[in-house]
Amino acid sequence: MAMNVVYEGPGDLPETIPVFPLAGALLLPRGQMPLNIFEPRYVEMIDAALRGPRLIGMIQPEADQDSRTTVPRLYRVGCVGRLVQFAETGDGRYLISLAGIARFAIEEELPATTAFRQCRITAEPFANDFKPRLGEEEVDREAVLNALSRFAEARGLKIDWEDVTKAPNEALVNALSMMAPFGLREKQALLEAASLKSRAETLVAITEMELAKTDPGSQSTLQ
């Protein structure tokens, strides 16, 4: 898909966007999220996005609510992504990729006029998201890598350490946050972290807690 669009601040985003509630799906600024779209309402959402600025708000439904609820409550904070790759399949599905731009807070969910949900949003509280690699020097990279190494060993995960060691701190922390197999609350905590440093610390803390569940005798690396 052509047309490289640069978003430099909250004012560059529209006031209203379609939102895609998806439990466990975490998109962060400058992260990449592949999605397989098959539900008719979300196929309609992609069609609408392609006719406009190609923006979609990824957001999680709140934890601890009845799974049978047809219109689940949403967390207030999500992340705007731009549709940067798009392919149709022969069975009515779309294979897409979103590039994270910035987090947003829902100001109001609009009355339903489409099959998909739409919200009025603001990105003003997250103006720093538009500044690539902000705060990288404050990240305790060693703590993040140590937690990743121990978690991978405990879960039997294979890690491409060559790529990991080459990644800048922002890409490292955000990619690990997006990929980590954590629950809704943990994913939301990573999303809402106030800074990259805070997200890295939250990532390490959550990883330590997950390790403690499988090995209660493990020693925390947190100071």
Side-chain angles (χ1 to χ4, degrees), residues 5-18:
V5 179
V6 177
Y7 295 91
E8 297 182 339
D12 292 340
L13 297 177
E15 291 184 357
T16 301
I17 61 170

Side-chain angles (χ1 to χ4, degrees), residues 17-35:
I17 61 170
V19 295
F20 186 6
L22 189 58
L26 174 60
L27 180 64
L28 290 167
R30 287 163 292 283
Q32 295 280 332
M33 174 179 283
L35 290 168

Side-chain angles (χ1 to χ4, degrees), residues 71-84:
V71 184
R73 299 185 307 275
L74 304 176
Y75 279 109
R76 184 168 178 264
V77 176
C79 184
V80 178
R82 186 168 190 273
L83 207 163
V84 292

Side-chain angles (χ1 to χ4, degrees), residues 149-193:
S149 176
R150 295 173 59 231
F151 187 78
E153 182 178 359
R155 295 293 180 91
L157 303 177
K158 292 184 178 180
I159 301 293
D160 187 338
W161 289 107
E162 184 176 353
D163 284 350
V164 167
T165 54
K166 289 179 180 177
N169 283 348
E170 181 188 56
L172 175 68
V173 171
N174 286 354
L176 292 177
S177 296
M178 289 173 61
M179 293 186 298
F182 300 146
L184 271 69
R185 289 190 186 85
E186 290 79 10
K187 288 281 191 178
Q188 196 66 24
L190 290 165
L191 174 67
E192 296 188 22

Side-chain angles (χ1 to χ4, degrees), residues 17-25 41-42 45 56-66 69-79 104-112 115-121 184-185 188 191-192:
I17 61 170
V19 295
F20 186 6
L22 189 58
R41 57 181 167 171
Y42 297 127
M45 178 187 69
I56 294 169
M58 293 302 302
I59 197 160
Q60 291 198 117
E62 286 185 2
D64 295 334
Q65 55 184 313
D66 194 325
T69 302
T70 55
V71 184
R73 299 185 307 275
L74 304 176
Y75 279 109
R76 184 168 178 264
V77 176
C79 184
F104 66 87
I106 293 177
E107 293 195 317
E108 175 190 18
E109 180 163 359
L110 303 180
F116 53 90
R117 299 168 75 173
Q118 300 187 64
C119 292
R120 186 166 57 84
I121 65 160
L184 271 69
R185 289 190 186 85
Q188 196 66 24
L191 174 67
E192 296 188 22

